[in-house]
Amino acid sequence: MMAFLQNRSISLVDMYIDNTEPSENVGQIHFSLEYDFQNTTLILKIIQGKELPAKDLSGTSDPYVRVTLLPDKKHRLETKIKRRTLNPRWNETFYFEGFPIQKLQARVLHLHVFDYDRFSRDDSIGEVFLPLCQVDFSEKPSFWKALKPPAKDKCGELLTSLCYHPSNSVLTLTLLKARNLKAKDINGKSDPYVKVWLQFGDKRIEKRKTAVFKCTLNPVFNDSFSFNVPWEKIRECSLDVQVMDFDNIGRNELIGRILLAGKNGSGATETKHWQDMITKPRQTIVQWHRLKPE
């Protein structure tokens, strides 16, 4: 059983071990770790940040830290918000109780620094991943870690095909499969399905959905949807394709999306996939697309 746990934790933490230098400087974070063996409790102290980038018009930020022990994304803790500073001092302590050392070594500490924004979505400043199997808890270690800019392109990829028959005005989208989808659930997996909207400009006309595929980051959908679009309108429409994570309890979460568009579709520029479909009518054009987070 122990060997199984160790093997399992290595495969998980391998996803997060990253020794590369940050691609841009987004500041540093100072924190310390301690483990209470008697009470099987991890004690994390978030001390301070320094040289954070300014995200607000005032030339400052309102930073706070979100703390997660991956792969458990459901239980997040957050520090207080420090107003108008690029060198915040938090000095806050968090306790993770009921974590035997073997269980803890299968976890990855994720510290994500955000800039609080009252009127819109909080901006991501940077993040740190620390596999806890790499930490010597007998030392009560303290760390200064360079924050890494948030990964914007790790949502996965989707293989789709497009085909248009001008004679009967039928546009067919086939969702073949996805790979390397972002994990949204505690088990390190997702329950993906795809939702598709046919749009004219910004107006949504018709919605379709695939079935839900349980516990996978590489689903094979093999599902086709046909829409009636006259030839003279084919460059004005677009398909908003959203890969979602189904959730029994909370709201279904967006994993990533693509927009397949004609020139005027929703203000988007014509995608190459769409162009190929129009220039090769009646042919099925297959292409991989990188999913975007929003």
Side-chain angles (χ1 to χ4, degrees):
M1 181 66 183
M2 186 61 200
F4 166 75
L5 269 172
Q6 283 174 336
N7 290 340
R8 185 177 163 278
S9 69
I10 293 305
S11 63
L12 170 74
V13 301
D14 278 351
M15 293 162 52
Y16 295 103
I17 293 172
D18 180 3
N19 297 319
T20 59
E21 288 301 309
S23 55
E24 61 182 285
N25 178 26
V26 289
Q28 295 182 51
I29 188 165
H30 186 196
F31 61 97
S32 66
L33 290 170
E34 193 177 329
Y35 185 69
D36 180 340
F37 284 87
Q38 195 173 349
N39 297 306
T40 60
T41 297
L42 174 68
I43 303 160
L44 163 69
K45 185 172 184 184
I46 296 185
I47 302 163
Q48 61 183 322
K50 74 174 182 185
E51 297 169 3
L52 301 183
K55 291 285 183 180
D56 300 337
L57 291 173
S58 61
T60 61
S61 290
D62 300 319
Y64 68 92
V65 185
R66 182 179 292 164
V67 181
T68 319
L69 278 187
L70 295 170
D72 182 358
K73 296 188 177 183
K74 297 279 189 276
H75 301 100
R76 293 169 168 165
L77 301 170
E78 289 179 358
T79 66
K80 293 186 172 63
I81 297 158
K82 295 296 173 182
R83 300 285 182 181
R84 296 188 186 85
T85 177
L86 303 181
N87 298 288
R89 288 183 172 275
W90 289 290
N91 286 323
E92 288 186 48
T93 305
F94 298 92
Y95 298 87
F96 297 89
E97 298 173 345
F99 271 95
I101 194 73
Q102 299 94 326
K103 184 180 173 186
L104 197 63
Q105 286 177 334
R107 294 289 188 268
V108 175
L109 176 67
H110 181 209
L111 303 181
H112 198 161
V113 182
F114 285 90
D115 166 51
Y116 171 76
D117 196 319
R118 190 174 159 199
F119 299 108
S120 66
R121 207 169 146 188
D122 296 348
D123 282 321
S124 172
I125 290 176
E127 58 191 344
V128 166
F129 294 96
L130 179 63
L132 293 177
C133 60
Q134 297 180 333
V135 176
D136 180 356
F137 287 105
S138 64
E139 298 286 318
K140 296 186 181 176
S142 173
F143 303 88
W144 271 107
K145 291 274 186 187
L147 294 166
K148 300 216 169 188
K152 294 184 176 68
D153 58 350
K154 288 191 179 170
C155 301
E157 294 175 285
L158 183 65
L159 184 63
T160 66
S161 77
L162 286 172
C163 182
Y164 184 66
H165 282 263
S167 53
N168 58 5
S169 303
V170 173
L171 166 64
T172 303
L173 167 71
T174 302
L175 302 159
L176 295 158
K177 59 183 177 178
R179 64 186 178 197
N180 305 323
L181 292 181
K182 194 170 193 174
K184 290 283 185 180
D185 297 335
I186 185 170
N187 58 8
K189 303 281 187 181
S190 288
D191 300 322
Y193 69 96
V194 183
K195 183 166 70 176
V196 180
W197 281 99
L198 172 69
Q199 301 180 153
F200 282 92
D202 289 328
K203 194 174 180 191
R204 290 178 161 182
I205 306 294
E206 206 175 329
K207 182 171 89 165
R208 303 287 181 82
K209 267 188 215 175
T210 69
V212 175
F213 288 74
K214 293 285 184 182
C215 286
T216 177
L217 301 180
N218 300 286
V220 177
F221 299 109
N222 281 338
D223 209 343
S224 289
F225 302 125
S226 291
F227 303 93
N228 194 274
V229 180
W231 171 249
E232 61 274 13
K233 298 262 189 178
I234 193 67
R235 286 181 184 273
E236 293 170 29
C237 73
S238 59
L239 294 170
D240 182 8
V241 183
Q242 303 177 17
V243 181
M244 308 292 294
D245 171 49
F246 175 78
D247 201 320
N248 268 322
I249 302 158
R251 272 177 64 186
N252 297 342
E253 272 189 279
L254 177 71
I255 294 173
R257 74 200 304 176
I258 58 171
L259 187 69
L260 301 170
K263 270 198 181 101
N264 304 316
S266 201
T269 52
E270 187 169 74
T271 54
K272 184 176 185 307
H273 201 173
W274 201 270
Q275 224 166 19
D276 290 349
M277 172 191 75
I278 290 172
T279 54
K280 297 171 187 170
R282 295 175 295 282
Q283 286 188 42
T284 299
I285 312 294
V286 182
Q287 193 178 315
W288 279 103
H289 294 271
R290 185 173 283 179
L291 294 166
K292 293 181 177 164
E294 54 189 271

